[in-house]
Amino acid sequence: MTSPPTAPPAGRPRSPRAHWQHRLAERGIDRQLWLLVPALLFVVLLFLYPFFYGLGLSFQPTKGGPFSDYARFFGDAYERDTIWITLRIALPAAVLNVVASVPIAYRMRGRFRGKRLITILLVVPITLGTVLTAQGLLNFLGPTGWFNRVLLALHLADEPVRLIHNYWGVFFSLIITGFPFAFLLVLSYLSGIDPTLERAAATLGAGWWQRFRTITLPLLMPGLATTFCLTFVLAFSVFPSAVLVGNPAGETRVISIAAYQAAYEQYDYPYASAIAVIMGVVELVIIALVLAARSRLYTGSTGGKG
Amino acid sequence: MTAPKPGFSQLRLEGVTRRFGSQNALSDLDLTIEAGEFIALLGPSGCGKSTALNCLAGLLPLTGGSIWQDERRIDVLPPERRGFGMVFQSYALFPHMSVRANVAFGLRMRRLPKQEIRRRTDEAIRLVRLEEHVDKLPGQLSGGQQQRVAIARAVVLEPSLVLMDEPLSNLDAKLRLEMRTEIRRLHQSLGLTTVYVTHDQEEALSLADRLVVLRAGAVQQIGSPQELHTRPANWHVADFMGYRNLWPMRVQAAQAGEITVEADGLRLVGDPVGQIAAGDQVVAAVRPEDVRVDDPHATTNTVPAEIEVVEYQGRELAAEARNDAGLRVHVRTDKRIAPGDRVTLSIDPRRLLVFPSDSVERPAAGLADAAEPGTLREPRLVP
């Protein structure tokens, strides 16, 4: 018994091959995927390969077992303390960058004349680069710089205040370079919050502080958490300013200096890699904590566009 | 923060003006709102109705004029001190708060005792029938439910005035009708003084006790729904109130209470609105439902015409007809007609309103070039 062959219904793919192509395309698998290859190569060659190479290297110390370089780092107080030194600079700097961005961005929502100019002025430090910033800080905050001269002239200080080649030099440098990032991010998060919400709160009897605390801030918090993570990572990997305006042998011997010295002064690449991995793990721990806190917040629509 | 006085007897807007740059968004609005009234501000987009509402709410400072609540001047108060409830077009629900927290927000800002907040919130939620949804976030609700939360949030404070800014415009047609009834029901049961902004004349007519028609920032007419429906003050208001047939014509003869107008050989008798003399340029206006088709008793104002387009609208048909001179007539009828039919249209002279034509603009629904009937025409402006 054979049934008569039936013609495939119109509109359906004829061959099994075309059928599969159609099914795959529905799931986003089609020839356009080849366009991803250059980016994928880029990521693999320039990021994944060096990362895993370094990770592997950190477990192959010049002497001892696979974890002996890690043991060496944590066994040596001078090395171990770099974690705290770095956190002591990076955490306050990141917090200050985020906190200072909020009121400024809050005032700069919406349109007004001169907004572009102010934004440019606030963002210019990004374009300067760390070295130029450090140079400027040395001139401005140094013992004979303008800042101290003004303090002395106004008799606010009897002798020049030391603000460079120590903790404060690095801190200011991180503020100058980190603030524009934080500000731009916070501004875009704030612009994404529908301004009608605050107007509604006003008609319901909320004053400006209540409006900010109960409406804007809760909707902004997830964005602030993300902004904090990004500026923290930037600050944690501080290197040039720690050397140029800090005290790289003492109170600003940050973890990246330890890694640099292992790699280019002692030529101990496995040890340097181990320090780099530790650096990454510390960052990840902080970020994980912040993101865990963030996940408890409301992260849905904020009613606006952007 | 003190709770506002529970009531007032009159709210007066005196010469309220708002300029944006050099443009008058709202000029010289005088309006007295009695307690318990439902007022609709009606007009096309850009007419200044939302500006007026925002000025009332305190969200926009006035450029001129003043607002008085009885003898207390309130236009200098910030929005949070006025104690008015407002319902926004986009609802503006706080997305991170549950339905209950949204409704309770205003009460919390007033620092009322916890128990009272709870009681009044529950009551307001029951009023808008959202009991099952109290713990949901606004994002989990449908548009109609969100709108009800917004209304509950505004009325829970028992405000002396409720402001509504096109609250139904984001809803689909069916829900819009339901919510319209709901709003009217709420107004009847709570008696809250309400100012309602809309561009939908049907909505305004069905909801409001009194309508304020605005155009280009200026008041055109203030009156009851009946007054606006049957006796618009000028042809712009007529245009807005559903007088789809607006014909630029010229007055031939004017007597008391009756006027003869003419255009391209068509002569009609109508009812003059305002001062009109022979020779004036006028606009004759009639609703589609007041144009009768093949009425055997009609003796005056008969127009032979041909049906061109027919739309089915349930019990009635809406049709567009054209007379021999090319005049386009919108008709609503329960007669069975089809495109191409020759019919005799007639208009009761009392239903044909004749308005003075203002110098600048005249309606676009004018006469076609008689030589080419049926061609599309640009709106024509008569100087």
Side-chain angles (χ1 to χ4, degrees):
Chain A
M1 284 264 288
T2 53
S3 56
T6 48
R12 242 173 94 179
R14 313 261 150 140
S15 72
R17 199 179 129 81
H19 174 72
W20 272 107
Q21 274 182 356
H22 184 72
R23 291 288 294 270
L24 288 174
E26 271 184 339
R27 285 157 205 271
I29 301 169
D30 55 24
R31 271 187 229 139
Q32 286 177 18
L33 277 184
W34 287 108
L35 294 173
L36 282 180
V37 167
L40 216 59
L41 266 179
F42 189 83
V43 169
V44 168
L45 289 179
L46 289 173
F47 176 71
L48 287 180
Y49 174 73
F51 174 74
F52 283 107
Y53 181 82
L55 191 65
L57 202 60
S58 75
F59 293 113
Q60 299 159 31
T62 41
K63 49 184 183 289
F67 295 102
S68 60
D69 268 347
Y70 290 95
R72 184 173 144 202
F73 181 86
F74 286 107
D76 182 348
Y78 185 57
E79 298 286 86
R80 191 175 59 215
D81 284 349
T82 56
I83 295 180
W84 305 120
I85 287 173
T86 320
L87 284 177
R88 216 165 65 84
I89 299 174
L91 283 176
V95 168
L96 184 64
N97 278 337
V98 173
V99 169
S101 301
V102 174
I104 299 175
Y106 190 69
R107 289 302 303 172
M108 286 192 52
R109 289 182 307 169
R111 287 191 209 151
F112 58 90
R113 191 190 293 238
K115 175 175 177 168
R116 190 172 295 176
L117 182 73
I118 297 178
T119 311
I120 289 171
L121 284 179
L122 287 169
V123 169
V124 154
I126 287 186
T127 63
L128 294 181
T130 335
V131 178
L132 193 60
T133 307
Q135 191 64 43
L137 277 177
L138 288 178
N139 282 326
F140 179 65
L141 294 177
T144 56
W146 296 355
F147 186 75
N148 270 314
R149 271 195 257 165
V150 170
L151 282 189
L152 291 176
L154 294 175
H155 300 291
L156 290 170
D158 298 330
E159 55 189 69
V161 185
R162 245 176 75 85
L163 291 170
I164 50 166
H165 298 307
N166 62 4
Y167 175 87
W168 292 109
V170 184
F171 187 78
F172 288 133
S173 161
L174 287 180
I175 299 296
I176 291 169
T177 47
F179 174 79
F181 278 106
F183 167 73
L184 285 182
L185 278 167
V186 171
L187 185 63
S188 79
Y189 280 118
L190 260 177
S191 316
I193 298 175
D194 183 357
T196 320
L197 296 180
E198 274 202 48
R199 295 154 64 102
T203 62
L204 292 166
W208 77 266
W209 170 247
Q210 286 171 313
R211 298 201 286 272
F212 179 76
R213 197 175 51 80
T214 56
I215 309 299
T216 311
L217 192 60
L219 293 174
L220 186 62
M221 267 320 272
L224 293 187
T226 311
T227 310
F228 172 83
C229 286
L230 289 171
T231 48
F232 168 73
V233 167
L234 278 176
F236 195 79
S237 55
V238 57
F239 180 72
S241 55
V243 176
L244 294 170
V245 284
N247 176 9
E251 59 178 327
T252 71
R253 186 170 184 269
V254 293
I255 192 164
S256 55
I257 293 180
Y260 171 82
Q261 286 173 340
Y264 299 109
E265 289 175 11
Q266 298 155 26
Y267 295 106
D268 187 346
Y269 289 136
Y271 184 46
S273 298
I275 297 176
V277 170
I278 290 165
M279 192 171 156
V281 168
V282 172
E283 286 176 354
L284 281 179
V285 167
I286 300 284
I287 291 173
L289 287 175
V290 173
L291 292 187
R294 181 187 186 270
S295 68
R296 299 162 59 98
L297 304 170
Y298 169 84
T299 53
S301 148
T302 50
K305 13 184 199 312
Chain B
M1 194 173 305
T2 54
K5 270 181 277 174
F8 64 94
S9 62
Q10 239 183 24
L11 192 84
R12 289 195 318 280
L13 285 79
E14 290 179 356
V16 170
T17 300
R18 171 68 205 188
R19 259 191 296 278
F20 291 109
S22 60
Q23 206 189 348
N24 258 356
L26 184 66
S27 42
D28 228 6
L29 172 64
D30 290 317
L31 180 66
T32 303
I33 301 167
E34 304 291 334
E37 244 188 329
F38 197 121
I39 301 258
L41 300 184
L42 180 64
S45 57
C47 71
K49 56 192 191 301
S50 287
T51 307
L53 201 71
N54 283 322
C55 286
L56 256 175
L59 297 170
L60 263 184
L62 308 187
T63 318
S66 54
I67 304 174
W68 300 81
Q69 188 170 319
D70 292 332
E71 292 319 307
R72 181 160 149 252
R73 185 168 178 177
I74 60 160
D75 60 281
V76 289
L77 296 177
E80 61 265 28
R81 299 277 308 281
R82 297 197 189 183
F84 296 164
M86 182 147 175
V87 179
F88 293 81
Q89 188 174 7
S90 59
Y91 318 141
L93 298 180
F94 308 131
H96 58 301
M97 294 185 192
S98 68
V99 168
R100 182 193 296 285
N102 263 284
V103 176
F105 185 85
L107 299 169
R108 274 205 295 129
M109 291 301 119
R110 250 150 246 202
R111 305 245 162 79
L112 295 178
K114 271 220 168 70
Q115 277 185 328
E116 191 183 347
I117 294 181
R118 182 95 189 173
R119 182 179 58 75
R120 286 172 66 176
T121 306
D122 285 346
E123 200 180 321
I125 290 172
R126 202 172 324 119
L127 197 66
V128 295
R129 289 174 277 180
L130 282 173
E131 294 97 324
E132 308 121 79
H133 306 288
V134 282
D135 294 319
K136 288 188 183 166
L137 291 178
Q140 297 166 287
L141 302 178
S142 69
Q145 290 168 339
Q146 290 188 31
Q147 186 55 272
R148 300 220 292 270
V149 178
I151 291 171
R153 190 177 67 175
V155 301
V156 72
L157 298 170
E158 289 161 20
S160 53
L161 180 66
V162 182
L163 306 166
M164 298 197 179
D165 189 3
E166 307 213 19
L168 306 185
S169 62
N170 285 340
L171 301 176
D172 61 59
K174 181 174 172 297
L175 214 48
R176 202 176 308 159
L177 281 182
E178 274 173 28
M179 287 304 298
R180 201 162 89 186
T181 316
E182 192 113 332
I183 288 174
R184 186 70 210 174
R185 185 174 63 82
L186 273 176
H187 180 253
Q188 280 173 4
S189 59
L190 301 179
L192 295 171
T193 318
T194 308
V195 177
Y196 186 101
V197 158
T198 180
H199 61 264
D200 182 337
Q201 46 110 357
E202 210 185 306
E203 211 169 283
L205 287 173
S206 63
L207 282 172
D209 303 321
R210 221 143 51 96
L211 281 75
V212 179
V213 181
L214 291 163
R215 184 178 154 267
V219 174
Q220 304 291 303
Q221 189 172 5
I222 300 179
S224 69
Q226 287 92 333
E227 280 165 11
L228 269 103
H229 192 78
T230 54
R231 201 95 186 145
N234 60 41
W235 74 262
H236 295 290
V237 179
D239 188 13
F240 211 72
M241 300 310 296
Y243 288 74
R244 279 193 77 192
N245 296 303
L246 294 167
W247 303 310
M249 297 182 119
R250 181 181 290 278
V251 179
Q252 275 208 326
Q255 295 151 7
E258 200 175 85
I259 193 163
T260 310
V261 290
E262 186 274 337
D264 286 1
L266 175 68
R267 189 175 297 186
L268 297 172
V269 180
D271 185 0
V273 181
Q275 284 298 313
I276 298 171
D280 281 1
Q281 291 284 354
V282 292
V283 176
V286 67
R287 293 171 180 280
E289 52 268 40
D290 289 333
V291 179
R292 290 193 301 270
V293 178
D294 289 335
D295 182 353
H297 308 297
T299 49
T300 50
N301 287 350
T302 54
V303 185
E306 186 182 319
I307 304 290
E308 286 195 337
V309 185
V310 176
E311 290 169 46
Y312 176 72
Q313 298 197 333
R315 278 173 49 203
E316 283 182 319
L317 295 174
E320 199 178 293
R322 202 183 279 276
N323 84 342
D324 301 330
L327 182 79
R328 208 184 299 176
V329 186
H330 296 281
V331 182
R332 276 180 81 95
T333 177
D334 50 5
K335 294 236 166 58
R336 294 179 59 123
I337 47 175
D341 288 359
R342 297 290 309 181
V343 293
T344 304
L345 305 175
S346 56
I347 302 162
D348 181 341
R350 283 166 304 170
R351 296 292 171 89
L352 183 78
L353 302 181
V354 178
F355 299 101
S357 140
D358 40 23
S359 54
V360 194
E361 292 172 72
R362 302 191 71 190
L367 293 160
D369 198 333
E372 311 168 62
T375 54
L376 285 171
R377 287 156 300 125
E378 292 294 311
R380 73 173 189 184
L381 294 175
V382 178

